[in-house]
Amino acid sequence: MKKLTLFCFLLALAVSLFGQSPSPTCYRVYLSDKNNSPYSINNPSEFLSQRAIDKRARFNIPITEQDLPINPQYKQQILALHPQMQPLAVSKWMNTFTVYCPDSTIIPQIESLPFVDSILAVGVYQLHDMPIGQAVSDNQIPIVHNITTPSKDTLDYGAGFNQIALHNGHLLHAKGFHGEGMLIAVIDAGWLQVEESPYYQDLVDNNRYGGKFILIPNLVDTLFAGGHEGSHGTDVTSVMAANTPGKLIGTAPAASYAFIHTEWVGSEELVEEDFWANGAEIADSIGADVVNSSLTYYSSHFDFPQVNFTYAELDGNHSVASRCASILSEKGVVVCVIAGNSGSNYIGHPADAIDILCVGGFSIYCVGTNIYDTSSYGSHGPTYDGRVKPDVIALANDVSCCSPPPPHLNDWFTSKAGTSFSCPIIAGLSACLWQAMPGYTSSEIMQIIRESSHLYNNPNPDFGYGIPDLHDPRRHPRL
């Protein structure tokens, strides 16, 4: 039996609790099945890249109906109900289709379709009359690269040494593991000026730029007058990808990178979790080895408060972003997600996902590799179902990175704070570790990282398992 739609309830709640709050315009449509799909698990090249297919075979990960895209005929029938309706996001794993629908009277018609299970209002955005964002990549990234990396014993990290040496990442690099052949997908809020930056030219010159996937439609937020593409992704990625000796070398300077833009910087609405879920599926489809997501969603931060979640829903199973993060891990990806920066508050979604690395942060003063005045920096755990969060921590204050400078300055090198910047430290080093230990699964790599951490036998809600040692010989027999 079809579930009753939440649409009427949400509208009534919006009117009664929030007065003049704008009416929803974005809806997540839960589909009941994938019947009569034109796609087949016997022909996965229609929806997975060759790299992804090879990766599944390598780790004996089956391709199932879950991997099939949603039925395109269902999408067409929904969109045909109103000329202003537009697609926003899809999730094959959740079997959902998120649409922009400015006319609320159409919602009962969508619900009445035989293949629709239920509908949830997820946002109040207004859609510009510009095209929906689309992926701009050929989806094919070679597994082996002909690249030149600095001599393994003479890396000049510049300002990036401390944030890497705290995890013995420099020793991992010294073994010759800089991320060669690994693909890191970065799910973030925008890569302003990245194509023009000389500090990212190395990616292009060495065929390590996997393209940019823009999943955000051209939205005009009715609640907050925000901008479009920001530079957060540019800053975050540099912590991993920078390769400028004497200035900054990142945690995975020889890896390949794909950029997946899922975040609308103007405000926070539940529909952004739909964009994130869509982005996670793209990361899987291109065969990413590691995902870095310096994004998280808190109940108290939503500008669409009708759908705020409770601590009881912080269990990895309620949020579509969290559920897709867990599935992404099952597909053979090391998933790194920030704990967030909410201080004494709990982590958000999808940091509560099952079997991922939720990365918290700490603030320190460093002299060489000595650590002084360590204190918690970021959101804390545990999850509602009692799992340790964050999983691990890394430096979250004065993290060296590259950021587009103001017009009157030319220096891209700066420092930033927050778990947004501790997360790529771990993500980049995870790629190097997996490169060094290719016979291990993604789940095993994440567990090795947890067990190498200094608080593994005595975790706490602020630091989780603590600071991982990526060159711990007790856990890394290959090293």
Side-chain angles (χ1 to χ4, degrees):
M1 180 180 294
K2 291 175 60 176
K3 299 176 183 177
L4 293 177
T5 181
L6 296 177
F7 167 68
C8 294
F9 168 76
L10 288 173
L11 280 183
L13 189 62
V15 172
S16 62
L17 296 182
F18 303 99
Q20 299 301 314
S21 296
S23 298
T25 58
C26 305
Y27 302 87
R28 183 188 302 153
V29 182
Y30 289 86
L31 304 174
S32 60
D33 59 67
K34 292 183 178 180
N35 295 341
N36 303 312
S37 173
Y39 301 101
S40 169
I41 60 174
N42 297 319
N43 190 16
S45 61
E46 291 186 332
F47 48 87
L48 294 175
S49 69
Q50 189 59 50
R51 180 187 175 101
I53 294 170
D54 293 343
K55 191 160 173 279
R56 296 286 187 95
R58 173 184 165 197
F59 292 107
N60 197 28
I61 300 171
I63 298 171
T64 68
E65 182 180 301
Q66 184 185 59
D67 296 301
L68 299 179
I70 69 172
N71 194 321
Q73 295 180 1
Y74 293 171
K75 293 167 59 176
Q76 293 169 7
Q77 289 185 55
I78 291 171
L79 295 175
L81 293 175
H82 195 283
Q84 289 184 277
M85 197 178 301
Q86 296 287 342
L88 294 179
V90 294
S91 173
K92 59 186 178 183
W93 295 339
M94 296 294 101
N95 203 23
T96 59
F97 182 36
T98 306
V99 297
Y100 169 80
C101 182
D103 185 352
S104 61
T105 65
I106 302 300
I107 301 306
Q109 296 183 46
I110 299 177
E111 187 190 20
S112 68
L113 293 171
F115 52 81
V116 171
D117 187 48
S118 61
I119 300 174
L120 176 67
V122 291
V124 295
Y125 290 121
Q126 295 299 315
L127 187 63
H128 235 330
D129 57 355
M130 296 293 288
I132 299 295
Q134 296 181 7
V136 285
S137 171
D138 60 7
N139 288 7
Q140 298 298 324
I141 300 172
I143 295 177
V144 180
H145 309 283
N146 295 318
I147 64 175
T148 301
T149 57
S151 171
K152 65 182 181 181
D153 295 321
T154 59
L155 291 182
D156 185 357
Y157 289 96
F161 178 74
N162 282 333
Q163 61 206 45
I164 293 176
L166 286 168
H167 306 281
N168 278 332
H170 63 305
L171 301 181
L172 191 60
H173 289 170
K175 296 284 188 179
F177 305 113
H178 314 94
E180 291 90 342
M182 305 300 288
L183 173 58
I184 300 176
V186 188
I187 301 178
D188 216 289
W191 285 266
L192 187 67
Q193 298 186 32
V194 70
E195 285 86 357
E196 299 83 31
S197 170
Y199 302 107
Y200 281 93
Q201 195 61 42
D202 181 64
L203 292 178
V204 177
D205 290 346
N206 289 302
N207 193 31
R208 295 189 291 110
Y209 177 41
K212 185 188 296 182
F213 300 81
I214 304 172
L215 304 186
I216 298 294
N218 195 3
L219 296 171
V220 176
D221 184 3
T222 60
L223 299 177
F224 185 88
H228 290 266
E229 182 166 23
S231 64
H232 191 264
T234 308
D235 306 347
V236 165
T237 304
S238 69
V239 176
M240 299 177 281
N243 194 2
T244 306
K247 289 274 193 174
L248 180 65
I249 289 180
T251 53
S256 296
Y257 292 87
F259 304 151
I260 305 176
H261 185 173
T262 67
E263 175 76 1
W264 172 252
V265 298
S267 68
E268 295 292 307
E269 300 197 20
L270 189 60
V271 68
E272 290 181 23
E273 291 200 18
D274 295 76
F275 297 140
W276 197 99
N278 199 164
E281 293 175 4
I282 287 179
D284 166 63
S285 72
I286 63 175
D289 301 297
V290 176
V291 161
N292 183 90
S293 175
S294 290
L295 303 172
T296 196
Y297 304 101
Y298 301 105
S299 172
S300 59
H301 291 183
F302 279 133
D303 296 318
F304 186 44
Q306 297 94 317
V307 291
N308 278 345
F309 52 84
T310 66
Y311 177 58
E313 295 171 302
L314 203 66
D315 61 358
N317 291 312
H318 280 78
S319 157
V320 295
S322 299
R323 292 171 66 187
C324 284
S326 299
I327 294 172
L328 183 62
S329 172
E330 294 172 358
K331 304 298 184 184
V333 179
V334 172
V335 183
C336 299
V337 177
I338 62 170
N341 306 315
S342 64
S344 61
N345 292 326
Y346 288 102
I347 60 172
H349 298 153
D352 65 325
I354 298 168
D355 198 23
I356 67 160
L357 291 178
C358 168
V359 182
F362 59 93
S363 58
I364 61 170
Y365 298 95
C366 295
V367 178
T369 57
N370 295 318
I371 307 172
Y372 301 94
D373 191 25
T374 304
S375 57
S376 176
Y377 195 120
S379 309
H380 67 84
T383 59
Y384 181 76
D385 54 324
R387 286 174 289 119
V388 172
K389 294 293 175 181
D391 291 83
V392 296
I393 56 173
L395 182 64
N397 75 304
D398 294 327
V399 179
S400 298
C401 63
C402 299
S403 183
H408 61 287
L409 298 175
N410 294 317
D411 191 359
W412 276 65
F413 294 97
T414 184
S415 62
K416 300 277 185 173
T419 56
S420 285
F421 300 93
S422 60
C423 194
I425 294 174
I426 300 300
L429 291 178
S430 297
C432 297
L433 179 62
W434 203 1
Q435 176 196 3
M437 305 170 67
Y440 288 77
T441 67
S442 59
S443 184
E444 289 170 335
I445 290 294
M446 288 188 283
Q447 185 60 19
I448 286 171
I449 292 171
R450 294 185 191 100
E451 293 184 15
S452 76
S453 300
H454 79 296
L455 296 176
Y456 181 71
N457 293 318
N458 189 28
N460 65 59
D462 293 322
F463 295 116
Y465 294 116
I467 303 170
D469 181 349
L470 274 294
H471 193 262
D472 183 352
R474 295 169 300 172
R475 294 297 311 164
H476 305 169
R478 285 288 305 278
L479 303 179

